[in-house]
Amino acid sequence: MKISLNEKHPELAGEWSERNAPLTPDDVTYGSNKQVWWKGRCGYEWRARIIDRAVYGKGCKVCEAQFQEALPLLLMTFYAKKLEMKMITKDVTTIGLGLESYIPEISLAVEFGREKSAEARQRETVKEYLCRKKEITLVRIAEWSSEVELADKILQAFSAADIFIRTDTQADLAIIRHRFFTWLEHNNLENQL
């Protein structure tokens, strides 16, 4: 007996494009090599094999790019909320220059990426000086190769402020991913109305 896409992965049936009509997720197996149309939660449509979606977990490249861009601040917010602390993004009042993410209760600022231009590097140096002057721990996370590595580096940033969080980063990332894509889908539906 062959298992349909809808039976095995009902969540993917929600991304099934109307362009496939009259074919439905009940008409195809979840391991099929057939290429069909998909509609991401952001509204973007693309063609992909069913097996790539259902077995290999490949999703919408536009939705995924939005998630990856937001992930550093989502993780910071997630861990700050776990500690019942407020995180401020784009704070310019504390040191006079923008801090990407700042948690006042523990005087921790975390920034992501590395600026390339000489002017931007000079601004980073001034920012580091101003943070030291105000006794703010500034951690710069320049690179990461995976979501888990990013989460681990953020947890290390908290430990630099003597805050140690014992957690399952894989589970945390799954929660954050689910919340983000639920928000994205809801936001896209609101924009269509």
Side-chain angles (χ1 to χ4, degrees), residues 81-119:
K81 284 189 177 184
K82 254 188 173 190
L83 298 166
E84 297 180 359
M85 295 180 181
K86 180 181 178 185
M87 189 191 75
I88 303 168
T89 58
K90 311 279 189 257
D91 174 51
V92 292
T93 59
T94 302
I95 65 167
L97 289 175
L99 293 173
E100 200 168 352
S101 62
Y102 177 56
I103 303 172
E105 292 94 331
I106 57 175
S107 296
L108 173 66
V110 181
E111 304 226 318
F112 302 93
R114 175 69 63 191
E115 296 290 344
K116 306 264 188 288
S117 71
E119 180 184 317

Side-chain angles (χ1 to χ4, degrees), residues 41 174-189:
R41 295 174 184 182
I175 291 166
I176 292 167
R177 179 175 283 280
H178 174 75
R179 288 179 184 169
F180 176 82
F181 285 106
T182 299
W183 170 84
L184 188 63
E185 186 172 28
H186 178 76
N187 195 43
N188 187 45
L189 287 173

Side-chain angles (χ1 to χ4, degrees), residues 107-135:
S107 296
L108 173 66
V110 181
E111 304 226 318
F112 302 93
R114 175 69 63 191
E115 296 290 344
K116 306 264 188 288
S117 71
E119 180 184 317
R121 286 194 311 269
Q122 185 177 22
R123 191 171 41 251
E124 284 180 354
T125 303
V126 171
K127 199 180 285 190
E128 289 166 5
Y129 168 77
L130 292 171
C131 283
R132 274 193 311 273
K133 193 172 177 183
K134 292 234 178 194
E135 297 182 356

Side-chain angles (χ1 to χ4, degrees), residues 12-191:
L12 289 180
E15 294 183 22
W16 186 264
S17 173
E18 295 165 1
R19 293 169 122 178
N20 296 315
L23 196 63
T24 71
D26 289 313
D27 300 329
V28 297
T29 60
Y30 76 95
S32 170
N33 280 313
K34 183 172 186 58
Q35 279 214 351
V36 296
W37 284 96
W38 302 93
K39 186 172 186 175
R41 295 174 184 182
C42 65
Y44 175 74
E45 291 195 56
W46 78 102
R47 285 178 55 87
R49 295 183 318 162
I50 295 167
I51 193 170
D52 289 335
R53 299 292 327 273
V55 176
Y56 302 120
K58 294 181 180 178
C60 173
K61 65 182 180 183
V62 174
C63 294
E64 188 61 28
Q66 290 175 349
F67 176 70
Q68 293 301 321
E69 184 179 328
L71 185 58
L73 292 180
L74 291 173
L75 279 162
M76 283 296 299
T77 302
F78 182 80
Y79 291 127
K81 284 189 177 184
K82 254 188 173 190
L83 298 166
E84 297 180 359
M85 295 180 181
K86 180 181 178 185
M87 189 191 75
I88 303 168
T89 58
K90 311 279 189 257
D91 174 51
V92 292
T93 59
T94 302
I95 65 167
L97 289 175
L99 293 173
E100 200 168 352
S101 62
Y102 177 56
I103 303 172
E105 292 94 331
I106 57 175
S107 296
L108 173 66
V110 181
E111 304 226 318
F112 302 93
R114 175 69 63 191
E115 296 290 344
K116 306 264 188 288
S117 71
E119 180 184 317
R121 286 194 311 269
Q122 185 177 22
R123 191 171 41 251
E124 284 180 354
T125 303
V126 171
K127 199 180 285 190
E128 289 166 5
Y129 168 77
L130 292 171
C131 283
R132 274 193 311 273
K133 193 172 177 183
K134 292 234 178 194
E135 297 182 356
I136 295 170
T137 301
L138 174 61
V139 177
R140 198 171 301 284
I141 300 174
E143 298 176 2
W144 55 91
S145 60
S146 68
E147 294 174 358
V148 172
E149 184 183 359
L150 174 61
D152 288 341
K153 287 185 176 196
I154 288 172
L155 292 171
Q156 290 169 12
F158 276 93
S159 67
D162 295 325
I163 302 294
F164 301 93
I165 304 170
R166 294 181 56 93
T167 190
D168 177 347
T169 53
Q170 292 279 10
D172 297 342
L173 287 162
I175 291 166
I176 292 167
R177 179 175 283 280
H178 174 75
R179 288 179 184 169
F180 176 82
F181 285 106
T182 299
W183 170 84
L184 188 63
E185 186 172 28
H186 178 76
N187 195 43
N188 187 45
L189 287 173
E190 278 186 355
N191 289 337

